[in-house]
Amino acid sequence: MKILNLDSISVVILDDEKLNYTGSEIEPLWAFKKFNIQKDSIIAFNGALNVSVKNMKDLKDIKEESKYGDVLIKSSNAINFIVEHFDNPDLKMIYLRQRILVSIAKEIIEEITNKKLKRNGDDLYYNNGKLSVSIACRGISSAKIHLGINVSNIGAPDYINTSSLGDLGIDIHDNQNIIDIMEKIATKYGEEMDKIEKDMRKTMYLI
Amino acid sequence: MKILNLDSISVVILDDEKLNYTGSEIEPLWAFKKFNIQKDSIIAFNGALNVSVKNMKDLKDIKEESKYGDVLIKSSNAINFIVEHFDNPDLKMIYLRQRILVSIAKEIIEEITNKKLKRNGDDLYYNNGKLSVSIACRGISSAKIHLGINVSNIGAPDYINTSSLGDLGIDIHDNQNIIDIMEKIATKYGEEMDKIEKDMRKTMYLI
Amino acid sequence: MKILNLDSISVVILDDEKLNYTGSEIEPLWAFKKFNIQKDSIIAFNGALNVSVKNMKDLKDIKEESKYGDVLIKSSNAINFIVEHFDNPDLKMIYLRQRILVSIAKEIIEEITNKKLKRNGDDLYYNNGKLSVSIACRGISSAKIHLGINVSNIGAPDYINTSSLGDLGIDIHDNQNIIDIMEKIATKYGEEMDKIEKDMRKTMYLI
Amino acid sequence: MKILNLDSISVVILDDEKLNYTGSEIEPLWAFKKFNIQKDSIIAFNGALNVSVKNMKDLKDIKEESKYGDVLIKSSNAINFIVEHFDNPDLKMIYLRQRILVSIAKEIIEEITNKKLKRNGDDLYYNNGKLSVSIACRGISSAKIHLGINVSNIGAPDYINTSSLGDLGIDIHDNQNIIDIMEKIATKYGEEMDKIEKDMRKTMYLI
Amino acid sequence: MKILNLDSISVVILDDEKLNYTGSEIEPLWAFKKFNIQKDSIIAFNGALNVSVKNMKDLKDIKEESKYGDVLIKSSNAINFIVEHFDNPDLKMIYLRQRILVSIAKEIIEEITNKKLKRNGDDLYYNNGKLSVSIACRGISSAKIHLGINVSNIGAPDYINTSSLGDLGIDIHDNQNIIDIMEKIATKYGEEMDKIEKDMRKTMYLI
Amino acid sequence: MKILNLDSISVVILDDEKLNYTGSEIEPLWAFKKFNIQKDSIIAFNGALNVSVKNMKDLKDIKEESKYGDVLIKSSNAINFIVEHFDNPDLKMIYLRQRILVSIAKEIIEEITNKKLKRNGDDLYYNNGKLSVSIACRGISSAKIHLGINVSNIGAPDYINTSSLGDLGIDIHDNQNIIDIMEKIATKYGEEMDKIEKDMRKTMYLI
């Protein structure tokens, strides 16, 4: 486990173990319970992704897809990011941050692969194949984001056209490649949030 | 003038006149005073960009650059975006939105030009040349963003290495090209904000 | 079903079906789950009103009235309004909006019937008979109001002196009368909220 | 001067002196500066009403009416209410409260005069004549409302069709009548705000 | 039961009965449910203190101490304070208030006993023995604090070095001494919160 | 100058120069303008304290004392603390923090001098002599505190009974003593704020 402690956020990369995303990681205070983190945080990890309907937070997905079975969001191999912020009780703020995280993921993957992705809201596409899943939501005292990016297409739902880091030409059998991408995305997100905190403290107000 | 009225934001493109950015456009309620807009808004326009020190809001820029004279931020030809939101008194929120606007500008320009830009916080670079200037700030009841993107390098400060849409291969003498870029960026920003409003209303909370 | 889509709020009138109010309609995201509404909303419907103690949110009512049995708030025929707003995590705001909704209901009913009502907080009275029930409350990411207005007194609790639209001289057997009242109240509430959004964007701040 | 000290708000009636409204009374902390009030407050007073353009906060009024001269909002004899709340930095909240104050004014005047008024947003009308002016706005740490109601039409702008308490049949030459109306409106507003504070503290949240 | 009704907060001293603290008193609206309080409040009472793991809110304590059994926070005789505020949805605010409450407890106890305590965050120590336990947390519409202070060491967990009011030289067998301390701490907290409300309404903002 | 960079706040001690407090240091962004601090901060310094009426923010002081002249708050030798936080637009929060800062000052001075102080709101007293002055206030995007503590009584207003660190037995001619006190108070305040940030991230919410 690798930790980068920025002033306002901890960036954690699980580089020495696999961890599956099951949907319970989106719960408040997961970062404290599992990793003793007492700061805002972004945690990156690699593993299978399986969210059962009862753990899904996107009611639209549930409506549209529950005909397909009980586990709708799945991938045999994905990189996952869990973000938690405690700074503002507003729901909108976590959605704004989600868009920033997804934009950063796009920037990093394009830079590494030299391919072009499409971003539509919180979804990334490559060649019309859905590369990512994401959700933002709030609990009482914190707000959370999950972003999952397919490493391979194996195990993805067959009623959706998906894409993966493998399709983008990354050698996904070399674990270091996966860790590098996780680290670059998580670090850039952490640095962006940290820079915003600093920018807020050098700007004149309007009168 | 072209107006796209989305539910939560008005997107305005000044396609039939030039307008210079002088720094006073960042003031609260400018969109109402000038265009009678009574919604959150993004206004796009094309013209010269000249911000004197007294109109600058970034105290760091003032510190570092005021040795160079009284007008520090300037370009003979730029596209400008003025964003105003009235929904939350938090300063951080407008910074998050600024990052989203700058990311969208990057996405659109890369798409049109097929060239790669670098984004560092709220700055865009092409070939190490600074392509944009931006500021986010708050008044008492609204928050505002200015984003300016060089159309040409002429008139840019000579102590900064700049770049421009011209450098990126866009035929800047065809006014329609400039209008298209303004419209695409402003529209995508408006749609992003509008989609976030909708996403907020379909997501389960965490307990 | 009739929908009026204002910029900041959807006004929905169930004019082609009856719907009972059971207390579960106050739950967050009911408008999305049932009607796919992804905006702030006011939903008006007509049907019986039966709230069991376990679905009641007013702890004072529970204390004072639970001696009377398990279903305390009931009417065989009522018009109901369910309001949901996602814009501010403050509990007080939904109470302010509740008072506005109840005031609007009073204005509309007085206009239609040419009779005088009394408003005391969130309660309406006609001839000392309680005409309405209302509750305002908050979940994690939205705030909700329920307002129920007796169409007839049949089925109201016998330990409370009630009144109804029938008592006010409205021909309640003509369904169109009921729909008209629902629509006028819901529409005026929606327009009021929408106008406030616009007013906010034309007013100078104080320094 | 008569003061009713409710838990969360002070209700002040200037019953022993006249006071003109000039527009400066809308400034933050006026209630403290003039009356030593250190609570949220509603202050009611009777006098002439003259707001010059430089003291106006409604930019729409300024746009539409500044052709008529420098003093646009005027009445030789009006009752005025100045409300100040310190509890929430949100601009919308003061607009919601403004609507409640105007609705209360309507309720009280209808009750006293047995005539029907029309309310349109923050305006009251009698026989299509404008009876009132109102503004809501925010400073850095408080939010304020002004509501003025014409006692007589003398001195009102001649390009607007106005009405007054005199038109409604009130004997405006009996000063006690004016004081009674001021007191009833201010007291009901104070009690409404106070009851909302209490209601907030007896209501279950939603999960 | 003794009640002091300040403008913004009720101070309640249970001087005529014992009440044990079990952890459920931290739940939202407990003051309303048990004492019909419809204001912000501080309730002081004396009794045993036993919080089982399932009622604990401090996840760090749970992690570090759950090896010791199911009831970790316990004292056969403690004074307890339960604070509830409804004014701001921010988690941080209740932590700031917790520190103020603990500082006030320190001030009062030092004054009465003429001994010196140490405060470390939300913990009080006498002679390196832990004198108090405290937690601050939030529900959806209110925020709460519990502060417990050992009256005697009997029944405290044996794996922690504790201290008590008895150790500080107070005659704890005279019930009036205990009531006096409860009342002084609760009253000073209430007055402090009330004075802050007043201070907020006499201070110029910064421009 | 000595800087302690905690995660959420910078603690700055001016140990190598004197600085007078004139009232302008309370202005927003002073810490950035003078010391390039881009975090929340507490800055401690030693020098004369002279606040003219036009720089005073406490309107009550102005009312009560302006008869005494133009410079009301003055001391020839004081330690001063300037705190700035950017995290929440609520006015109340800075008042809560002010009380914590004053309580910490009391704790530290009592510890060093082994004498007892009295705290009344934001004022400290020794032997009925006023030891300190303090103000908390808000700008648009930050909130600030000033706390000044008399080092000597020389130059204090003669119509107020004052006390000083000299009266408390500190050898104020040894500069290191003054620096130690400044550093201990500022550091404890910084650590308290930092610990609150951590505590917020380990606590279960209430449902």
Side-chain angles (χ1 to χ4, degrees):
Chain A
M1 195 169 93
K2 205 163 160 178
I3 301 190
L4 172 64
N5 267 315
L6 301 174
D7 277 351
S8 62
I9 188 165
S10 287
V11 178
V12 180
I13 317 298
L14 288 195
D15 58 354
D16 50 2
E17 56 171 321
K18 299 284 174 184
L19 188 69
N20 295 336
Y21 181 77
T22 65
S24 68
E25 297 77 8
I26 198 76
E27 276 160 30
L29 294 162
W30 176 76
F32 175 73
K33 287 179 190 166
K34 192 153 180 80
F35 303 108
N36 277 319
I37 309 288
Q38 283 183 260
K39 297 179 79 164
D40 287 8
S41 62
I42 179 166
I43 320 279
F45 52 95
N46 175 220
L49 187 160
N50 285 290
V51 188
S52 65
V53 167
K54 83 168 173 41
N55 279 335
M56 284 176 65
K57 303 296 169 194
D58 186 319
L59 299 179
K60 199 168 193 177
D61 287 356
I62 295 175
K63 277 196 187 189
E64 289 168 3
E65 296 173 24
S66 59
K67 59 189 167 192
Y68 296 110
D70 181 54
V71 178
L72 301 170
I73 297 179
K74 51 187 171 184
S75 171
S76 63
N77 189 356
I79 54 176
N80 292 286
F81 302 90
I82 294 288
V83 172
E84 186 165 23
H85 289 279
F86 290 78
D87 57 350
N88 189 297
D90 195 290
L91 175 60
K92 203 179 292 176
M93 196 165 267
I94 197 65
Y95 272 101
L96 294 169
R97 280 170 161 146
Q98 181 205 39
R99 292 331 203 239
I100 292 174
L101 175 59
V102 175
S103 294
I104 285 172
K106 177 174 181 283
E107 286 174 351
I108 298 289
I109 296 171
E110 287 183 343
E111 216 168 276
I112 290 175
T113 64
N114 220 13
K115 301 252 167 50
K116 294 291 298 176
L117 304 182
K118 279 264 173 201
R119 181 178 70 83
N120 184 7
D122 61 353
D123 286 323
L124 293 177
Y125 293 88
Y126 173 62
N127 269 347
N128 300 319
K130 200 163 176 287
L131 180 64
S132 65
V133 293
S134 184
I135 188 71
C137 45
R138 271 211 64 83
I140 289 176
S141 29
S142 66
K144 297 204 59 171
I145 306 168
H146 169 244
L147 169 65
I149 297 172
N150 293 321
V151 172
S152 100
N153 293 313
I154 298 170
D158 51 13
Y159 53 91
I160 298 176
N161 182 17
T162 59
S163 63
S164 68
L165 296 180
D167 297 344
L168 279 150
I170 291 173
D171 176 0
I172 62 174
H173 302 294
D174 181 343
N175 198 36
Q176 194 55 43
N177 289 337
I178 305 306
I179 291 169
D180 281 355
I181 292 178
M182 295 197 309
E183 186 167 356
K184 278 183 177 152
I185 293 172
T187 303
K188 187 159 187 186
Y189 179 81
E191 288 171 349
E192 187 93 59
M193 291 303 118
D194 219 52
K195 179 141 197 307
I196 285 174
E197 297 292 330
K198 288 189 176 46
D199 285 356
M200 285 168 57
R201 287 156 174 91
K202 63 155 191 177
T203 315
M204 279 303 284
Y205 46 89
L206 301 170
I207 48 168
Chain B
M1 193 169 92
K2 206 164 161 179
I3 301 191
L4 172 65
N5 267 315
L6 300 174
D7 277 352
S8 62
I9 187 165
S10 287
V11 178
V12 180
I13 316 299
L14 288 195
D15 57 356
D16 49 3
E17 55 170 322
K18 299 285 173 184
L19 188 70
N20 294 336
Y21 181 78
T22 64
S24 69
E25 297 77 8
I26 198 76
E27 277 160 30
L29 294 160
W30 176 76
F32 175 73
K33 287 180 191 166
K34 191 155 181 77
F35 304 109
N36 277 319
I37 308 287
Q38 284 184 259
K39 298 180 78 164
D40 286 9
S41 62
I42 179 167
I43 320 279
F45 52 96
N46 175 219
L49 189 160
N50 285 291
V51 189
S52 64
V53 166
K54 84 169 172 42
N55 278 336
M56 284 176 68
K57 303 297 169 192
D58 187 319
L59 299 179
K60 200 170 192 174
D61 287 356
I62 295 175
K63 277 194 188 193
E64 290 169 4
E65 296 172 24
S66 57
K67 60 188 166 193
Y68 296 110
D70 182 55
V71 178
L72 299 171
I73 298 180
K74 53 187 172 183
S75 171
S76 63
N77 189 356
I79 53 176
N80 291 286
F81 302 90
I82 294 287
V83 172
E84 186 166 23
H85 289 279
F86 289 79
D87 58 351
N88 190 295
D90 194 290
L91 174 62
K92 204 179 293 177
M93 195 165 267
I94 197 64
Y95 272 101
L96 294 169
R97 280 170 160 146
Q98 181 204 39
R99 291 334 203 237
I100 292 174
L101 176 59
V102 174
S103 294
I104 285 172
K106 176 174 182 283
E107 286 174 352
I108 298 289
I109 295 171
E110 288 183 342
E111 220 168 273
I112 289 175
T113 63
N114 221 13
K115 301 252 167 48
K116 294 291 297 175
L117 304 182
K118 278 266 175 199
R119 181 177 70 81
N120 184 8
D122 60 354
D123 287 323
L124 294 177
Y125 293 88
Y126 174 62
N127 270 348
N128 300 318
K130 202 163 176 285
L131 180 64
S132 65
V133 293
S134 184
I135 189 70
C137 45
R138 270 210 65 83
I140 289 176
S141 30
S142 67
K144 297 205 58 173
I145 307 168
H146 168 245
L147 169 64
I149 298 173
N150 293 321
V151 172
S152 98
N153 293 314
I154 299 170
D158 52 12
Y159 53 92
I160 298 176
N161 182 17
T162 59
S163 62
S164 68
L165 295 180
D167 298 343
L168 279 150
I170 291 174
D171 176 359
I172 62 174
H173 302 294
D174 181 343
N175 197 36
Q176 193 55 44
N177 288 339
I178 304 307
I179 290 169
D180 281 355
I181 292 178
M182 294 198 310
E183 184 166 359
K184 278 183 178 153
I185 293 172
T187 303
K188 188 159 187 186
Y189 180 81
E191 288 171 350
E192 188 93 59
M193 291 303 118
D194 218 51
K195 179 142 198 304
I196 285 174
E197 296 292 330
K198 289 190 174 44
D199 285 358
M200 285 168 57
R201 287 156 172 92
K202 62 157 192 174
T203 314
M204 279 302 284
Y205 45 89
L206 301 169
I207 50 168
Chain C
M1 194 169 93
K2 206 163 159 176
I3 301 190
L4 172 65
N5 267 315
L6 301 173
D7 277 352
S8 64
I9 187 166
S10 287
V11 178
V12 180
I13 318 297
L14 288 194
D15 56 357
D16 50 2
E17 57 170 321
K18 299 283 173 184
L19 188 70
N20 295 335
Y21 180 78
T22 64
S24 69
E25 298 76 9
I26 198 77
E27 277 161 29
L29 294 162
W30 175 75
F32 175 73
K33 287 180 191 167
K34 194 157 178 75
F35 304 109
N36 277 320
I37 309 287
Q38 282 183 262
K39 297 179 78 164
D40 286 9
S41 61
I42 179 166
I43 320 278
F45 53 95
N46 175 219
L49 187 159
N50 286 290
V51 188
S52 63
V53 167
K54 82 169 174 43
N55 278 336
M56 284 176 66
K57 302 297 169 194
D58 187 318
L59 298 179
K60 199 169 193 176
D61 286 357
I62 295 176
K63 276 194 187 192
E64 290 168 4
E65 297 172 22
S66 58
K67 59 191 167 192
Y68 296 110
D70 182 55
V71 178
L72 300 170
I73 297 179
K74 53 187 171 184
S75 172
S76 63
N77 189 355
I79 53 175
N80 291 285
F81 302 89
I82 294 287
V83 173
E84 186 165 22
H85 290 278
F86 290 78
D87 58 349
N88 189 295
D90 194 292
L91 173 61
K92 203 179 292 176
M93 195 165 267
I94 197 65
Y95 272 102
L96 295 170
R97 280 170 160 145
Q98 182 205 38
R99 291 333 203 238
I100 292 174
L101 176 59
V102 174
S103 294
I104 285 172
K106 177 174 181 282
E107 286 174 350
I108 297 289
I109 295 171
E110 287 182 343
E111 217 169 275
I112 289 175
T113 64
N114 218 13
K115 301 252 166 50
K116 292 292 298 175
L117 304 183
K118 279 262 174 203
R119 182 177 70 80
N120 185 6
D122 61 354
D123 286 323
L124 294 176
Y125 293 88
Y126 173 62
N127 270 347
N128 299 318
K130 201 163 176 286
L131 180 64
S132 65
V133 293
S134 185
I135 188 71
C137 45
R138 272 211 63 83
I140 289 176
S141 30
S142 66
K144 298 206 56 172
I145 306 168
H146 169 244
L147 169 65
I149 297 173
N150 292 321
V151 172
S152 98
N153 293 312
I154 300 170
D158 52 13
Y159 54 91
I160 298 177
N161 182 17
T162 59
S163 63
S164 67
L165 295 181
D167 298 343
L168 279 151
I170 291 173
D171 176 0
I172 63 174
H173 302 295
D174 181 343
N175 198 37
Q176 193 55 44
N177 289 338
I178 305 307
I179 290 168
D180 280 356
I181 292 178
M182 294 198 308
E183 185 167 356
K184 278 183 178 153
I185 293 172
T187 302
K188 187 158 186 186
Y189 179 81
E191 288 171 350
E192 187 94 58
M193 292 302 118
D194 219 51
K195 178 140 198 307
I196 285 174
E197 296 293 330
K198 289 189 175 46
D199 285 358
M200 285 168 57
R201 287 157 174 91
K202 63 155 190 176
T203 314
M204 279 302 285
Y205 46 89
L206 302 168
I207 48 168
Chain D
M1 194 169 92
K2 206 163 161 178
I3 301 191
L4 172 64
N5 267 314
L6 301 174
D7 278 351
S8 63
I9 187 165
S10 287
V11 178
V12 179
I13 317 298
L14 289 195
D15 58 357
D16 49 2
E17 56 170 321
K18 299 283 173 185
L19 187 70
N20 295 335
Y21 181 77
T22 64
S24 69
E25 298 77 8
I26 198 76
E27 276 161 30
L29 294 161
W30 176 77
F32 175 73
K33 287 180 190 165
K34 190 155 181 78
F35 304 108
N36 277 319
I37 309 287
Q38 283 183 263
K39 297 179 78 164
D40 286 8
S41 62
I42 178 166
I43 320 278
F45 53 95
N46 175 219
L49 188 160
N50 286 289
V51 188
S52 64
V53 167
K54 82 170 174 44
N55 278 336
M56 284 176 68
K57 302 298 169 193
D58 188 319
L59 298 179
K60 199 169 192 175
D61 287 356
I62 295 176
K63 277 196 189 191
E64 291 169 3
E65 297 172 24
S66 57
K67 59 189 166 194
Y68 297 110
D70 181 55
V71 178
L72 300 170
I73 298 179
K74 52 187 171 181
S75 171
S76 63
N77 189 356
I79 52 176
N80 291 287
F81 302 90
I82 295 287
V83 173
E84 185 165 23
H85 289 279
F86 290 78
D87 58 350
N88 190 297
D90 194 290
L91 173 62
K92 203 179 291 177
M93 195 165 267
I94 197 64
Y95 272 101
L96 295 169
R97 280 171 160 144
Q98 182 205 38
R99 292 333 203 236
I100 292 174
L101 175 59
V102 174
S103 294
I104 285 172
K106 176 174 182 284
E107 286 174 353
I108 298 289
I109 296 171
E110 288 182 342
E111 218 168 276
I112 290 175
T113 63
N114 220 13
K115 302 252 167 48
K116 293 290 298 176
L117 304 182
K118 279 265 173 200
R119 182 178 69 81
N120 185 9
D122 61 354
D123 286 324
L124 294 177
Y125 292 88
Y126 173 62
N127 270 347
N128 300 318
K130 200 161 175 288
L131 180 64
S132 65
V133 293
S134 185
I135 189 71
C137 45
R138 271 210 65 82
I140 289 177
S141 30
S142 67
K144 297 206 58 174
I145 306 168
H146 169 244
L147 169 65
I149 297 173
N150 292 322
V151 172
S152 98
N153 293 314
I154 299 169
D158 51 14
Y159 55 91
I160 299 176
N161 182 17
T162 59
S163 63
S164 68
L165 295 181
D167 298 342
L168 279 151
I170 291 173
D171 176 1
I172 62 174
H173 301 295
D174 181 344
N175 196 37
Q176 192 56 43
N177 289 338
I178 304 307
I179 291 169
D180 280 356
I181 292 177
M182 294 196 311
E183 185 167 358
K184 278 183 178 153
I185 293 172
T187 303
K188 188 159 186 186
Y189 179 81
E191 287 171 350
E192 188 93 59
M193 291 304 117
D194 218 52
K195 179 143 197 305
I196 284 174
E197 296 293 330
K198 287 188 176 47
D199 285 358
M200 286 168 57
R201 286 156 174 91
K202 63 156 191 175
T203 314
M204 279 302 285
Y205 46 89
L206 302 169
I207 49 168
Chain E
M1 194 169 93
K2 206 163 160 178
I3 302 191
L4 172 65
N5 267 315
L6 301 174
D7 278 350
S8 63
I9 188 166
S10 287
V11 178
V12 179
I13 317 299
L14 288 194
D15 57 356
D16 49 3
E17 57 171 320
K18 299 284 174 184
L19 187 70
N20 295 335
Y21 180 78
T22 65
S24 69
E25 298 77 7
I26 198 77
E27 278 161 29
L29 294 161
W30 175 76
F32 175 74
K33 287 179 191 166
K34 192 155 180 79
F35 304 108
N36 277 319
I37 309 287
Q38 284 183 261
K39 296 179 80 164
D40 285 9
S41 62
I42 179 166
I43 320 279
F45 52 95
N46 174 219
L49 187 160
N50 284 291
V51 188
S52 64
V53 167
K54 83 170 172 46
N55 278 335
M56 284 176 67
K57 303 296 169 195
D58 187 319
L59 299 179
K60 199 169 193 176
D61 287 356
I62 295 176
K63 276 196 188 190
E64 289 169 3
E65 296 173 23
S66 58
K67 60 190 167 192
Y68 296 110
D70 182 55
V71 178
L72 300 170
I73 298 180
K74 53 187 172 181
S75 171
S76 64
N77 189 356
I79 54 176
N80 291 287
F81 302 90
I82 294 287
V83 172
E84 186 166 23
H85 289 279
F86 290 79
D87 58 350
N88 189 296
D90 194 291
L91 174 61
K92 204 179 291 178
M93 195 166 266
I94 197 65
Y95 272 101
L96 295 170
R97 279 170 160 146
Q98 182 205 38
R99 291 331 203 239
I100 292 174
L101 176 58
V102 174
S103 293
I104 285 172
K106 177 175 181 281
E107 286 173 352
I108 298 289
I109 296 171
E110 287 182 343
E111 216 168 276
I112 290 175
T113 63
N114 219 13
K115 301 252 166 50
K116 294 292 297 176
L117 304 182
K118 279 264 174 200
R119 182 177 69 83
N120 184 7
D122 61 353
D123 286 323
L124 294 176
Y125 293 88
Y126 173 62
N127 271 346
N128 300 317
K130 201 164 175 284
L131 180 65
S132 65
V133 293
S134 185
I135 189 71
C137 45
R138 272 212 62 84
I140 289 176
S141 31
S142 66
K144 297 203 59 171
I145 306 168
H146 169 244
L147 169 65
I149 298 173
N150 292 321
V151 172
S152 98
N153 293 313
I154 299 169
D158 53 12
Y159 53 92
I160 298 176
N161 181 17
T162 59
S163 63
S164 68
L165 295 179
D167 298 343
L168 279 150
I170 291 173
D171 176 1
I172 62 174
H173 303 294
D174 181 344
N175 197 36
Q176 193 55 44
N177 289 338
I178 305 305
I179 290 169
D180 280 355
I181 292 178
M182 294 197 309
E183 186 167 356
K184 278 183 179 153
I185 293 172
T187 302
K188 186 157 187 187
Y189 180 81
E191 288 171 349
E192 187 93 59
M193 291 303 118
D194 219 51
K195 178 140 199 306
I196 285 175
E197 296 293 331
K198 288 190 175 46
D199 285 358
M200 284 168 57
R201 287 156 174 92
K202 62 156 192 176
T203 315
M204 279 303 284
Y205 46 89
L206 302 170
I207 48 167
Chain F
M1 194 168 92
K2 206 163 161 179
I3 301 190
L4 172 65
N5 267 315
L6 301 174
D7 277 352
S8 62
I9 188 166
S10 286
V11 178
V12 179
I13 317 298
L14 288 195
D15 57 357
D16 49 2
E17 56 170 321
K18 299 284 173 184
L19 188 69
N20 295 336
Y21 180 77
T22 65
S24 69
E25 297 77 10
I26 198 77
E27 275 159 31
L29 294 161
W30 176 75
F32 175 73
K33 287 180 191 165
K34 192 157 180 74
F35 304 108
N36 276 319
I37 309 287
Q38 283 183 261
K39 298 179 78 164
D40 286 9
S41 62
I42 179 166
I43 319 278
F45 53 95
N46 175 218
L49 188 160
N50 284 291
V51 188
S52 64
V53 167
K54 84 170 172 40
N55 278 335
M56 284 175 67
K57 302 298 170 191
D58 187 319
L59 299 179
K60 199 169 191 176
D61 287 357
I62 295 176
K63 277 195 187 191
E64 290 169 2
E65 297 173 23
S66 57
K67 60 189 167 194
Y68 297 110
D70 181 55
V71 178
L72 300 170
I73 298 180
K74 52 187 172 181
S75 171
S76 63
N77 189 355
I79 54 176
N80 291 286
F81 301 90
I82 294 287
V83 172
E84 185 165 24
H85 289 279
F86 289 79
D87 57 351
N88 189 296
D90 195 289
L91 174 61
K92 203 179 292 175
M93 196 165 268
I94 198 64
Y95 272 101
L96 295 169
R97 280 170 161 145
Q98 182 205 39
R99 291 335 202 236
I100 292 174
L101 176 59
V102 175
S103 293
I104 285 172
K106 176 175 182 282
E107 287 174 352
I108 298 290
I109 295 171
E110 287 183 342
E111 220 169 273
I112 289 175
T113 64
N114 220 12
K115 302 253 166 50
K116 293 292 296 177
L117 305 182
K118 279 265 175 201
R119 181 177 70 81
N120 185 9
D122 60 355
D123 286 323
L124 293 177
Y125 294 88
Y126 174 62
N127 269 347
N128 300 318
K130 200 160 176 290
L131 180 63
S132 64
V133 293
S134 185
I135 189 71
C137 45
R138 271 210 64 83
I140 290 177
S141 30
S142 66
K144 298 206 56 173
I145 306 168
H146 169 245
L147 169 64
I149 298 173
N150 293 321
V151 172
S152 99
N153 293 314
I154 299 170
D158 51 13
Y159 53 91
I160 298 176
N161 181 16
T162 60
S163 63
S164 68
L165 295 180
D167 298 343
L168 279 150
I170 291 173
D171 175 0
I172 61 173
H173 302 294
D174 181 343
N175 197 37
Q176 193 55 44
N177 288 338
I178 304 307
I179 291 169
D180 280 356
I181 292 178
M182 295 197 309
E183 184 167 358
K184 278 183 178 154
I185 293 172
T187 302
K188 189 161 185 185
Y189 179 80
E191 288 171 349
E192 188 94 59
M193 291 304 117
D194 218 51
K195 181 144 197 305
I196 284 174
E197 296 293 329
K198 289 190 175 45
D199 285 357
M200 286 167 57
R201 288 157 172 90
K202 63 157 192 176
T203 315
M204 279 303 284
Y205 45 90
L206 302 169
I207 49 167

